[in-house]
Amino acid sequence: MSSPKFEEFLSKVTSKVKSKEAHNMIKKELIHHLQELSQSYKKRGFFKEDAEEKAIQEMGNPFTIGERLNPLHKPKMDWVLIVLFVLFAGISFLPLVGGIPEFSLSGTYFMGRQTIWYTLAILVIIGFLFFDYQKLKNGWIYFYAIGLLIHIYLHLFGIMTNGAKKWVSLPGLMVDGTMMSLFFFFLAWAGIFNKINEFRSWKKQGLLFVLFWIPISLYMMVPDFMVSIIYFCCILGMFAFARIHKKLAVNLILTNLLAGIIFIIMFYMTSRQSYLLTRLSAFINPTADSNGAGYMYKAVRNVLSEAGWFGNGLSNELNFQLLPESHTDFAFPFLVYSLGWAFGFVLCLILLIFISRISKNAFKTQDLYGRLIVIGGATLFAVPTTWNILMSFGVVPIMGISLPFISYGGSAILFYAAVLGLILNVYRRKDLVEPTIADEIKS
């Protein structure tokens, strides 16, 4: 409890700081200095009221202090990420210029749809940008429950397309349910890792074990293997930076590693003829079934080999039979074929800058929860981007995964817009929130 004199001093300081969100943090910092100075004067023999008065005098003019603190505690916007988002939005229209051969609808129709998705994406980003993201950190159990409810809905009413029962039908549109659940599981785990050191008992560690593996099992049941890989990498990324006590971290790593090995063995034993293993076999030896499962590896290789440095133009003769899904999963090889390797290298460089920028932003906030959100968000962008490009070169198996913000598709665009909005929110408030990472180290 600070004295009335200190309170009056702090009120004068904060009257010059426009961001009200920063007032509490500034008051906490300054009251600590005032109390230290006051104690110092008391030790020299001053009475309490005189010591407080001397401490205030030593701090200086409160209005001047407030004017100096005001620019340091303004909300910040990462305009580089905004510019890159706009750039990606523009690029996403390029694969639609010549139309999409597998559909009878014109390219104009898909451009109109893409415009609607990006309009909604901007609203989603704005929606996730202007609120206190810290209000989400205690709601992890609700986010996890929402993720589970989405899967229950998919199991009961989901619409199957291309072998995966992952679509939810809404009036006028279809939404990817697994992407929706991934977003809620991501939020849930950011909240769990924010207080992970409270899970020290064996019962709570058992709960963590179950919470981690349930989503993977659900994604395998859909099946949506790529989302399960993204989920795994996202949780792993946040785990690496969650500042977990060593003994707890070792316990979690060993139990989940053992469970992972058992899971892979059981999956292999029960799914020898599955779709996934067929795709893996095609990846290892595409020529064994070049007109079946290995066809796409051959098709993408042929498309890239004919690209040249400056491509064949957007209105080229590349057709659906040669490269299916050229506007979604294979947007990257289509763009390289159309605009050349020079464009492909520049696109890879821009994507690298985008992900690097997000990763660097993670360490600009001293709030653990905010840092976990940005690290998890960076992983949600990095894994599909890397996998999509590498599968175009035949380095990893071909799976149904879009290139963030560039491939056509509303669900994915809205998903990534929500993640980007949260990342921008953390960056915007990095100078307004109280540090929590230092406290975590001491505990």
Side-chain angles (χ1 to χ4, degrees):
M1 194 73 181
S2 61
S3 73
K5 287 184 179 178
F6 286 171
E7 288 295 333
E8 184 183 351
F9 177 85
L10 294 172
S11 296
K12 290 178 181 176
V13 172
T14 53
S15 68
K16 295 294 180 183
V17 179
K18 291 181 181 176
S19 175
K20 293 182 180 178
E21 295 166 304
H23 286 188
N24 282 338
M25 186 175 68
I26 291 172
K27 284 181 178 178
K28 278 191 178 180
E29 286 177 5
L30 293 183
I31 200 70
H32 178 69
H33 294 306
L34 286 166
Q35 287 172 343
E36 275 189 342
L37 288 170
S38 177
Q39 288 296 327
S40 170
Y41 282 111
K42 283 180 187 174
K43 287 178 182 175
R44 291 186 224 170
F46 285 85
F47 290 110
K48 182 185 175 186
E49 287 195 355
D50 294 335
E52 289 178 351
E53 193 63 43
K54 294 288 285 182
I56 290 171
Q57 287 176 5
E58 192 166 327
M59 287 290 287
N61 187 315
F63 296 114
T64 307
I65 295 172
E67 286 171 355
R68 282 204 300 265
L69 290 175
N70 182 46
L72 299 176
H73 292 86
K74 281 184 176 176
K76 305 286 193 309
M77 183 64 77
D78 191 337
W79 291 107
V80 174
L81 287 183
I82 297 291
V83 169
L84 290 173
F85 165 75
V86 173
L87 195 57
F88 292 148
I91 293 172
S92 76
F93 285 88
L94 297 180
L96 309 175
V97 169
I100 300 172
E102 66 248 55
F103 298 99
S104 56
L105 300 166
S106 67
T108 308
Y109 170 82
F110 288 99
M111 286 191 179
R113 297 277 294 184
Q114 191 78 332
T115 303
I116 293 171
W117 290 125
Y118 265 103
T119 303
L120 293 174
I122 291 169
L123 296 176
V124 169
I125 289 174
I126 292 172
F128 277 93
L129 181 58
F130 295 106
F131 73 98
D132 184 356
Y133 71 86
Q134 290 186 312
K135 291 179 179 174
L136 303 176
K137 67 181 175 185
N138 294 321
W140 67 266
I141 195 165
Y142 302 107
F143 296 130
Y144 196 92
I146 293 172
L148 291 181
L149 288 173
I150 290 172
H151 276 274
I152 291 172
Y153 183 89
L154 287 177
H155 181 72
L156 296 174
F157 308 109
I159 297 172
M160 183 170 285
T161 305
N162 295 328
K165 196 176 179 181
K166 66 175 192 173
W167 295 96
V168 176
S169 178
L170 297 176
L173 72 158
M174 298 273 279
V175 178
D176 187 337
T178 55
M179 296 293 276
M180 287 168 57
S181 67
L182 178 62
F183 180 72
F184 287 107
F185 286 135
F186 153 62
L187 285 181
W189 278 101
I192 292 171
F193 282 127
N194 185 54
K195 52 177 69 177
I196 187 73
N197 291 317
E198 295 176 10
F199 289 78
R200 294 195 195 186
S201 69
W202 282 106
K203 285 184 180 177
K204 290 186 176 179
Q205 288 180 43
L207 175 65
L208 284 179
F209 179 85
V210 173
L211 291 178
F212 175 69
W213 283 99
I214 282 179
I216 291 180
S217 303
L218 292 172
Y219 289 130
M220 299 298 271
M221 289 167 62
V222 169
D224 195 333
F225 307 112
M226 196 62 230
V227 173
S228 68
I229 292 171
I230 297 171
Y231 166 82
F232 178 85
C233 294
C234 177
I235 307 308
L236 191 63
M238 289 193 283
F239 173 84
F241 292 93
R243 308 178 84 78
I244 306 175
H245 285 283
K246 192 178 289 183
K247 187 178 176 183
L248 176 60
V250 170
N251 287 341
L252 293 176
I253 290 171
L254 289 179
T255 52
N256 284 288
L257 189 62
L258 180 62
I261 293 170
I262 295 171
F263 184 85
I264 291 170
I265 292 172
M266 288 180 63
F267 180 77
Y268 178 76
M269 295 293 290
T270 57
S271 310
R272 290 185 179 179
Q273 302 302 321
S274 72
Y275 175 74
L276 177 62
L277 291 184
T278 303
R279 297 291 289 267
L280 287 175
S281 300
F283 165 66
I284 295 167
N285 187 11
T287 56
D289 186 15
S290 58
N291 292 320
Y295 170 77
M296 285 309 301
Y297 294 93
K298 185 179 71 173
V300 174
R301 191 166 57 242
N302 290 339
V303 165
L304 292 178
S305 67
E306 296 173 9
W309 277 107
F310 301 103
N312 300 283
L314 286 171
S315 300
N316 54 63
E317 296 180 353
L318 187 65
N319 57 40
F320 171 66
Q321 282 71 27
L322 188 57
L323 186 66
E325 304 295 338
S326 60
H327 60 307
T328 55
D329 297 350
F330 296 104
F332 179 76
F334 174 83
L335 288 169
V336 171
Y337 177 84
S338 303
L339 301 173
W341 282 105
F343 180 85
F345 287 131
V346 171
L347 180 57
C348 289
L349 181 63
I350 296 171
L351 287 165
L352 182 63
I353 292 171
F354 182 73
I355 294 167
S356 301
R357 179 84 182 181
I358 294 174
S359 303
K360 283 175 66 179
N361 283 355
F363 300 96
K364 290 180 180 176
T365 179
Q366 292 304 309
D367 173 49
L368 179 61
Y369 181 63
R371 182 174 292 185
L372 290 170
I373 284 178
V374 181
I375 288 170
T379 314
L380 292 175
F381 281 110
V383 174
T385 299
T386 307
W387 195 288
N388 184 284
I389 292 174
L390 290 182
M391 80 179 189
S392 300
F393 294 109
V395 178
V396 295
I398 289 176
M399 289 191 178
I401 182 65
S402 60
L403 194 56
F405 285 140
I406 291 176
S407 294
Y408 174 83
S411 299
I413 289 173
L414 296 183
F415 168 80
Y416 291 118
V419 176
L420 180 61
L422 273 176
I423 290 169
L424 291 171
N425 187 329
V426 175
Y427 183 87
R428 180 178 180 271
R429 298 175 58 82
K430 65 184 176 60
D431 298 318
L432 307 178
V433 296
E434 296 176 36
T436 57
I437 290 178
D439 293 336
E440 192 65 24
I441 294 170
K442 291 174 187 173
S443 63

